[in-house]
Amino acid sequence: MKRILISLIAIALVFGCSSSNPNKVAGYKVAETPTTELDAIKKALNKKNVMAEIGIGESTDEMVAMTIAQDAGRAAIGVSMGDQVKRLSEQYVQNVSGEAKQIWEEKTNHVTAELLRGTTAMKSITLYNEEKASYKIYTLMVLDPGMFKEALNNASAGNDELELRVKSADMQQRLDEAVKEYQQHYGR
């Protein structure tokens, strides 16, 4: 009987402690960081087909920290662009000949490197740690979807079969909506 009573008390304590604070889970609490704010903006942009990613940089030199953060954001956009090109290939270019598809993917991958230079730091949050005399910068990098659209169209140019698929009304509409959203919010 004593064991049952001790077991019931232990169970009550475990469930009582875990549900008393929804922001704590097994010794952890929910943390609000600069990434939290930037991630909400990023997700809203991504939903509208605007490529955006967060980069984080840290250094004792503020400009070095900024450069690291922007480079990390660009690298993440590069990965996202690769994923986007792959999705578009699967959706719109799936029925073209293997050679045409390969040429298109090679062209878009080549253009990706150039497009990354066209990314913009839309919002940065700078933290300074006095103890370490160090800056930590969180930056939201955004790619102008107009540049992405132009790159896709250029990659398909010269191949009639591929051009028809890439310039399909559905694909162009999605790209145009992303461009419109970007211009409305950032006036670029």
Side-chain angles (χ1 to χ4, degrees), residues 81 108-119 143 147:
M81 284 178 66
T108 53
N109 288 336
H110 173 72
V111 171
T112 296
E114 291 183 29
L115 280 177
L116 291 179
R117 288 186 221 124
T119 57
L143 174 68
M147 293 174 71

Side-chain angles (χ1 to χ4, degrees), residues 55-59 61-74 137 139 141:
I56 302 171
E58 188 169 4
S59 175
D61 182 292
E62 184 178 10
M63 289 310 295
V64 171
M66 178 66 75
T67 299
I68 293 169
Q70 289 178 356
D71 287 347
R74 280 187 190 94
I137 300 179
T139 301
M141 298 298 292

Side-chain angles (χ1 to χ4, degrees), residues 131-187:
E131 209 173 278
K132 294 180 179 180
S134 176
Y135 294 90
K136 190 167 192 175
I137 300 179
Y138 298 77
T139 301
L140 178 67
M141 298 298 292
V142 179
L143 174 68
D144 180 346
M147 293 174 71
F148 184 64
K149 177 183 176 181
E150 184 179 333
L152 291 177
N153 289 334
N154 289 341
S156 66
N159 184 316
D160 295 340
E161 179 184 14
L162 192 56
E163 205 166 351
L164 284 173
R165 300 212 192 286
V166 170
K167 291 185 177 179
S168 70
D170 179 50
M171 182 177 192
Q172 292 299 305
Q173 180 182 353
R174 288 176 56 197
L175 293 169
D176 287 340
E177 287 170 2
V179 170
K180 182 180 175 185
E181 182 67 31
Y182 180 84
Q183 289 172 340
Q184 281 179 342
H185 284 86
Y186 304 109

